[in-house]
């Protein structure tokens, strides 16, 4: 429904799903329990909350969307993308403390998620927290391997390397 453009119908379907006894009475996950071991009713609840939050955010109801994402993150605490979404909405609602916490959680959950690292860096810069920004930069260099050059940029590098190696060969002759 949501993908087909029936946003109102999709929102109503998500709300109905969230009101179902099976979903409302789902047992919370235990700490350390893997997401793959999540009961289907909890997974349904989490997905409905995330999708309904997206709809509410697109409608401009950012605080309502934020509340839904806060509920979803209680179910899926290790979802870096979810934490990042929460941080973005917190910034939109001018809740910098929550945004910072959410971006930090996203970085902890998935240190390789460059979008999370970048969002946290932007927030730290805007807050003027240079020591934390420096620490993030240092830790990012340890965690993130250097990104390969895009093909369009790598081609000139290879051409230069070939020229250098052919120049070295001719210089020795």
């Amino acid at each position: 429904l949501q993908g087909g453009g029936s946003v109102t119908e999709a929102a109503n379907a998500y709300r109905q799903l969230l009101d179902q006894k099976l979903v409302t009475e789902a047992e919370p996950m235990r700490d350390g329990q893997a997401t793959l071991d999540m009961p289907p009713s909890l997974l349904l609840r989490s997905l409905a909350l995330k999708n309904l939050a997206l709809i509410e955010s697109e409608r401009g109801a950012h605080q309502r969307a934020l509340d839904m994402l806060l509920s979803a993150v209680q179910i899926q605490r290790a979802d870096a993308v979810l934490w990042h979404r929460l941080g973005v909405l917190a910034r939109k609602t001018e809740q910098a403390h929550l945004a910072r916490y959410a971006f930090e959680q996203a970085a902890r959950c998935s240190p390789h998620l460059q979008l999370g690292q970048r969002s946290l860096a932007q927030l730290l810069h805007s807050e003027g927290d240079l020591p934390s920004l420096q620490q993030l930069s240092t830790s990012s260099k340890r965690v993130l391997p250097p990104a390969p050059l895009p093909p369009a940029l790598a081609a000139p590098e290879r051409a230069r390397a070939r020229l250098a190696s052919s120049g070295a060969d001719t210089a020795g002759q």
Side-chain angles (χ1 to χ4, degrees):
L1 292 174
Q2 187 176 353
S6 303
V7 177
T8 303
E9 289 179 41
N12 290 335
Y14 292 133
R15 285 188 186 94
Q16 287 176 355
L17 178 63
L18 289 169
D19 289 338
Q20 295 295 315
K21 184 177 181 178
L22 173 73
V23 174
T24 59
E25 295 179 1
E27 290 291 321
M29 289 180 56
R30 296 176 305 278
D31 284 340
Q33 185 177 2
T35 304
L36 294 175
D37 297 333
M38 181 185 300
S41 55
L42 261 185
L43 182 59
L44 277 173
R45 179 170 177 74
S46 175
L47 292 172
L49 286 166
K50 288 191 274 187
N51 287 321
L52 191 53
L54 178 63
I55 291 171
E56 293 296 342
S57 178
E58 288 173 352
R59 290 179 172 171
H62 300 302
Q63 187 58 49
R64 197 170 21 225
L66 188 71
D67 292 340
M68 290 175 189
L69 289 181
L70 284 168
S71 295
V73 84
Q74 294 303 313
I75 298 169
Q76 291 186 305
R77 293 183 186 132
D79 186 338
V81 174
L82 178 57
W83 279 110
H84 184 263
R85 279 190 195 168
L86 181 64
V88 169
L89 269 175
R91 282 192 90 172
K92 283 184 181 178
T93 58
E94 298 180 6
Q95 299 181 52
H97 61 287
L98 178 58
R100 181 174 179 161
Y101 181 76
F103 290 143
E104 287 172 348
Q105 291 302 312
R108 282 189 190 103
C109 290
S110 182
H112 299 286
L113 181 66
Q114 291 183 5
L115 183 60
Q117 298 279 343
R118 194 173 312 124
S119 296
L120 180 56
Q122 288 171 345
L123 183 75
L124 293 172
H125 184 267
S126 70
E127 289 179 348
D129 189 349
L130 299 181
S132 295
L133 185 59
Q134 180 62 38
Q135 183 180 6
L136 176 66
S137 176
T138 303
S139 66
S140 294
K141 289 176 185 171
R142 284 193 308 259
V143 171
L144 299 173
L149 288 173
L153 296 177
E157 289 295 317
R158 280 182 267 177
R160 271 188 243 136
R162 273 184 261 145
L163 285 174
S165 67
S166 66
D169 292 341
T170 58
Q173 292 179 1

